[in-house]
Amino acid sequence: MLVLEKLRQYAGASRVALVNREKRLTYRQLEERSGAFAAWLLDHLGEDRSPVVIYGEKETDFLCCMLGALKSGRAYVPIDRSVPRERAAMILEAVQPRVAVDFGGLGAQGSALVLDAVSLEEILSAPARPIPSDCWVQGQDTAYLLFTSGSTGAPKGVVVTAANLEAFCRGVLPWYAGQEGGVVLNQVSYSFDVSGCAVYAGLSCGMTLFCVDKQMTREFRELFQALGDSGLTLWVSTPSFAELCAQSRQFDAALLPGVRQFLFCGEVLTHTLCEELAVRFPGARVVNTYGPTEATVLVTAVEVTEAMRRSERSIPIGAPIAGVQLRLEGEEGGAGELVILGPSVGPGYFGRPDLTARSFFTDPATGLRGYRTGDLCFEREDLYYYQGRADNQLKLDGFRVEVEDVEANLQKLPNVSRAAVVPVWSGGKVQYLAAFLLLKEPDGLSSLKRAIQLKKQAAAYLPDYMIPRKLFAVESFPLNVNGKVDKKALARRLEVEGR
Ligand code: AMP
């Protein structure tokens, strides 16, 4: 694997691989600590290849565990701490790991051996033992499983292989030209694949990963102080995170003089943000990229030009990166469903052949693996433009959410019999979710107290970003001609009542 080869190559020098607040990890330390974890997994698990779960956030050793698992020939399953225990337990139930690393908050999980920070330190600081590259994950071996929102209310696991990751790196590295030895922002959670732009592409060209954790993003002063000291040369994030930073006047080239490129992925990039960045960072280029987890991080890219910023059309998602083929199916009214073909398209969903068969296929003409994205797009002058979804999947602050997932989990609350969730749009993106709930019995609470109570209950099942900002109890749902809950009528009700 390219990243593991590069890690070995850079380990000789005193190059810094990761900066996490006051901690620094050199490439050598990363090589040694990931190697020590791999050696322990090989000794401890022998032939057992079950994936290794890692629960935490941006802890320095999270990265050592991810790469250590890969070196030992095992996949890893990163779970962000914002995922409540109940939901994390569903993932563990599906994966059945023998080993889980817990950076705090996961606790005992079935028969898995849970390593806390203390036992992990003992393992990682053991004397280095080189792990021969024929032990590493390779080809069709699973490299990671990422669990994303699933429409049944349980998260669904996307399988990504070593070959998929190699294809991603080959395709994206031309967009990293001139970044060798620079500093890349490492803010996206490891449980979302956009983080691969820092981890896999960044480490493959000897960059330093500069960590920004959730605590920092909550406190602007701390965040800007950290960014000011970062030496960042490449900004990678969802547009939402850059929009959050741009709320402060401080976010400009004086704060980040080294940033030569912004690379965005994961959701719609607006003209407004592009204009802001052009004014605040006149020397930096802005690159929009697009891709679903199922096809490994990103499959298109484009540098945003002044003409694009000024155009009436949306900002394009770009042209396919090397190795990727795209086609549009079922074109109607100018847009069709985007289908991705190529070596970065994964094998499918973990343990769900039914779901896999619905969206993945092998193209008989080319033999390439294909994935139907559910994204509606059109093409003009060799660039693709995103037009929205064909289903109820949406992006909320850059997070992928299936509306039915939120509904199914709200229906688990003790006094809720049915839930209907409606996204509230403004400025071309979803601002928040509103939930309409049929209660099992009257609770005698004021609307405010009820909303507070329901949100608290929902936090047991849903990560923060999936909890609707507004919750209303209703006596009945409006129905459409098909007898289904009329979501459009609910959305209108929100507008009319100015809620
Ligand atoms: P995820 O698997 O979390 O990366 O989410 C993938 C989905 O995010 C895609 O199927 C799109 O709906 C959306 N998406 C990703 N990148 C972009 C982009 N640049 N513009 C618009 N939507 C995007």
Side-chain angles (χ1 to χ4, degrees):
M1 261 189 112
L2 183 67
V3 71
L4 299 180
E5 278 157 30
K6 289 288 180 179
L7 193 59
R8 194 180 261 179
Q9 187 182 319
Y10 295 128
S14 56
R15 201 180 267 249
V16 178
L18 180 125
V19 174
N20 191 11
R21 292 178 176 259
E22 62 290 344
K23 288 197 187 133
R24 290 202 160 18
L25 192 72
T26 61
Y27 272 83
R28 172 176 299 187
Q29 287 168 319
L30 180 56
E31 167 77 348
E32 287 176 358
R33 289 172 81 79
S34 58
F37 190 54
W40 183 86
L41 288 170
L42 288 166
D43 291 347
H44 190 81
L45 293 179
E47 288 304 305
D48 184 306
R49 290 279 189 123
S50 46
V52 178
V53 165
I54 317 172
Y55 186 82
E57 200 200 327
K58 282 283 173 202
E59 294 79 9
T60 305
D61 286 329
F62 204 121
L63 187 65
C64 302
C65 293
M66 284 159 57
L67 299 179
L70 298 181
K71 281 185 180 177
S72 82
R74 286 168 183 79
Y76 64 86
V77 187
I79 308 180
D80 192 86
R81 193 176 291 114
S82 61
V83 174
R85 281 192 61 161
E86 190 83 25
R87 202 169 163 88
M90 285 197 241
I91 299 176
L92 273 100
E93 179 61 33
V95 172
Q96 294 288 323
R98 290 270 312 278
V99 171
V101 178
D102 179 12
F103 287 102
L106 181 66
Q109 289 291 335
S111 60
L113 171 64
V114 179
L115 300 172
D116 63 13
V118 177
S119 30
L120 183 68
E121 179 54 32
E122 221 169 275
I123 294 167
L124 300 190
S125 54
R129 196 173 91 195
I131 307 293
S133 54
D134 56 7
C135 287
W136 301 352
V137 289
Q138 49 201 300
Q140 296 313 309
D141 295 345
T142 304
Y144 59 66
L145 293 174
L146 288 190
F147 278 79
T148 181
S149 185
S151 51
T152 56
K156 68 179 173 194
V158 180
V159 180
V160 171
T161 65
N164 296 151
L165 267 176
E166 296 292 80
F168 156 69
C169 281
R170 267 197 309 278
V172 82
L173 283 179
W175 292 92
Y176 281 60
Q179 289 288 347
E180 292 78 7
V183 181
V184 58
L185 183 64
N186 180 24
Q187 178 269 334
V188 180
S189 162
Y190 294 132
S191 63
F192 296 109
D193 74 339
V194 177
S195 63
C197 292
V199 174
Y200 292 102
L203 291 178
S204 293
C205 46
M207 298 185 81
T208 300
L209 274 48
F210 184 81
C211 301
V212 163
D213 57 44
K214 283 197 200 75
Q215 179 56 36
M216 279 158 111
T217 60
R218 278 188 214 113
E219 188 41 77
F220 261 19
R221 232 186 42 187
E222 195 185 344
L223 174 65
F224 287 115
Q225 185 160 359
L227 287 176
D229 296 337
S230 65
L232 220 59
T233 57
L234 174 62
W235 179 282
V236 172
S237 79
T238 57
S240 286
F241 184 61
E243 278 159 8
L244 177 82
C245 294
Q247 285 173 12
S248 163
R249 288 268 125 227
Q250 255 185 295
F251 184 65
D252 61 13
L255 179 79
L256 294 166
V259 170
R260 295 194 288 276
Q261 179 167 304
F262 286 83
L263 191 146
F264 291 114
C265 191
E267 61 180 336
V268 170
L269 175 62
T270 61
H271 286 95
T272 319
L273 181 60
C274 292
E275 282 297 336
E276 278 293 331
L277 295 175
V279 173
R280 297 191 195 202
F281 295 88
R285 64 177 195 160
V286 173
V287 174
N288 189 23
T289 74
Y290 153 95
T293 308
E294 287 85 341
T296 318
V297 193
L298 60 89
V299 294
T300 68
V302 67
E303 180 178 351
V304 178
T305 61
E306 190 178 343
M308 289 171 191
R309 291 203 310 271
R310 300 273 146 90
S311 162
E312 293 280 290
R313 276 191 206 139
S314 58
I315 303 287
I317 56 172
I321 60 169
V324 172
Q325 290 181 27
L326 299 179
R327 65 184 186 218
L328 294 170
E329 279 185 2
E331 274 184 87
E332 222 178 81
E337 181 180 18
L338 188 69
V339 177
I340 303 169
L341 295 131
S344 70
V345 175
Y349 299 110
F350 184 72
R352 294 300 304 265
D354 52 335
L355 291 182
T356 302
R358 242 181 266 163
S359 304
F360 290 84
F361 60 95
T362 299
D363 185 44
T366 57
L368 292 172
R369 191 78 179 143
Y371 172 65
R372 292 187 193 89
T373 61
D375 289 319
L376 300 173
C377 292
F378 68 87
E379 188 196 352
R380 291 282 178 287
E381 291 136 22
D382 298 329
L383 291 175
Y384 285 81
Y385 291 79
Y386 173 79
Q387 289 269 281
R389 293 282 309 170
D391 59 12
N392 289 328
Q393 184 182 302
L394 46 87
K395 280 291 172 116
L396 200 51
D397 283 338
F399 297 112
R400 174 166 159 179
V401 176
E402 298 279 357
V403 167
E404 293 89 344
D405 191 354
V406 182
E407 290 172 343
N409 280 287
L410 291 176
Q411 281 162 195
K412 292 178 185 164
L413 307 191
N415 196 26
V416 173
S417 64
R418 270 194 84 186
V421 170
V422 176
V424 178
W425 291 79
S426 156
K429 63 195 280 186
V430 178
Q431 298 296 332
Y432 63 88
L433 299 178
F436 294 85
L437 307 167
L438 282 184
L439 299 185
K440 288 182 184 155
E441 51 194 45
D443 57 12
L445 296 175
S446 69
S447 332
L448 183 66
K449 283 215 170 115
R450 178 184 309 117
I452 293 171
Q453 188 190 61
L454 291 168
K455 280 187 194 183
K456 214 164 168 192
Q457 292 172 348
Y461 301 102
L462 292 168
D464 266 4
Y465 64 85
M466 286 175 78
I467 300 176
R469 188 187 296 172
K470 299 196 174 178
L471 297 130
F472 305 105
V474 290
E475 307 262 299
S476 62
F477 288 130
L479 300 181
N480 61 21
V481 283
N482 303 323
K484 289 186 179 170
V485 174
D486 188 346
K487 298 248 177 120
K488 286 193 183 128
L490 288 174
R492 278 198 300 275
R493 200 185 285 186
L494 268 174
E495 278 168 29
V496 172
E497 296 177 19
R499 282 157 147 181

